[in-house]
Amino acid sequence: EIVMTQSPATLSVSPGERATLSCRASQSVSSNLAWYQQKPGQAPRLLIYGASTRATGIPARFSGSGSGTEFTLTISSLQSEDFAVYYCQQYNNWPPRTFGQGTKVEIK
Amino acid sequence: QVQLVQSGAEVKKPGASVKVSCKVSGYTLTELSMHWVRQAPGKGLEWMGGFDPEDGETIYAQKFQGRVTMTEDTSTDTAYMELSSLRSEDTAVYYCATGVWGYDAWGQGTLVTVSS
């Protein structure tokens, strides 16, 4: 089973600042990685797939990079609506399609 | 655009079974690969299983093997997830989700509470 490890667990950022979230896979997942945003009481929302392709309707301030085992989600200038929990998920080698444990982005 | 609407909250006793439904609109179920994900209170996302179009089979996470059954009724475009032998640790929000690369459509979630 591929283990996905996200860091940090919590990221404190001021509005307008850049946020950088990391996701590491225990073995290569090529570029078969997705990022999701989840707000309290809501279902997750797909932000990025294929490690770097923004999903439909996702603002350009969200960008993804990486391949193999190391991945990054960058939010270039945090808006108030971006404070949420972010998860990575690999879909290269399954079952299971493992998720990371999440990174909470909170207001500093 | 795919829309997924799930059945309502359930309260079950330990040892019982629960069956959650997920109604598809905007597409037919045969055009989609449906998966199920759960989230315990205050915890992260956990993949339970889903349809593999390459094999034409539903694949389950090992953790749930023998306890979970995912089925589809193509006549009503409704997917189902049944979990048996429920225990308190199964208290969670259960989501259906679909997408080609990552899940770009999710149901609203169904809270299943297991309590005596």
Side-chain angles (χ1 to χ4, degrees):
Chain A
E1 173 177 330
I2 297 176
V3 177
M4 307 300 292
T5 303
Q6 291 186 240
S7 61
T10 303
L11 187 61
S12 298
V13 186
S14 299
E17 289 187 341
R18 173 187 295 256
T20 303
L21 290 66
S22 295
C23 175
R24 173 176 293 178
S26 60
Q27 64 189 74
S28 176
V29 298
S30 186
S31 294
N32 294 312
L33 183 108
W35 288 95
Y36 300 88
Q37 176 193 69
Q38 187 179 34
K39 297 178 180 179
Q42 296 184 16
R45 177 175 71 146
L46 178 67
L47 298 176
I48 301 285
Y49 62 90
S52 61
T53 302
R54 277 190 302 276
T56 302
I58 302 303
R61 64 181 181 271
F62 291 92
S63 62
S65 63
S67 66
T69 62
E70 300 283 344
F71 301 89
T72 300
L73 174 70
T74 301
I75 311 170
S76 60
S77 177
L78 270 159
Q79 306 298 301
S80 57
E81 61 267 29
D82 300 335
F83 292 96
V85 180
Y86 293 83
Y87 295 94
C88 62
Q89 182 200 27
Q90 69 84 17
Y91 50 92
N92 185 67
N93 188 350
W94 64 288
R97 290 194 178 190
T98 39
F99 290 92
Q101 79 279 20
T103 291
K104 181 179 181 180
V105 177
E106 64 176 25
I107 301 174
K108 186 174 182 181
Chain B
Q1 182 178 350
V2 179
Q3 289 194 317
L4 307 177
V5 178
Q6 298 183 221
S7 48
E10 303 261 13
V11 179
K12 296 291 183 181
K13 293 193 182 302
S17 298
V18 68
K19 192 170 186 177
V20 178
S21 68
C22 174
K23 169 72 174 173
V24 175
S25 62
Y27 281 74
T28 64
L29 194 48
T30 55
E31 298 175 283
L32 306 173
S33 296
M34 194 64 69
H35 289 226
W36 292 85
V37 175
R38 78 176 186 179
Q39 186 170 38
K43 303 296 185 182
L45 302 170
E46 182 175 31
W47 184 83
M48 298 182 68
F51 183 75
D52 182 356
E54 292 192 8
D55 293 339
E57 296 183 351
T58 298
I59 301 178
Y60 302 121
Q62 188 171 11
K63 174 177 180 176
F64 300 103
Q65 287 274 5
R67 278 210 306 145
V68 70
T69 305
M70 297 173 188
T71 57
E72 297 181 349
D73 182 344
T74 56
S75 69
T76 61
D77 287 319
T78 303
Y80 298 91
M81 186 284 301
E82 184 170 21
L83 188 62
S84 62
S85 302
L86 289 169
R87 35 213 187 223
S88 59
E89 310 90 88
D90 295 317
T91 294
V93 175
Y94 291 76
Y95 294 101
C96 56
T98 188
V100 177
W101 301 287
Y103 303 132
D104 58 3
W106 293 71
Q108 82 277 20
T110 296
L111 175 61
V112 175
T113 302
V114 182
S115 174
S116 54

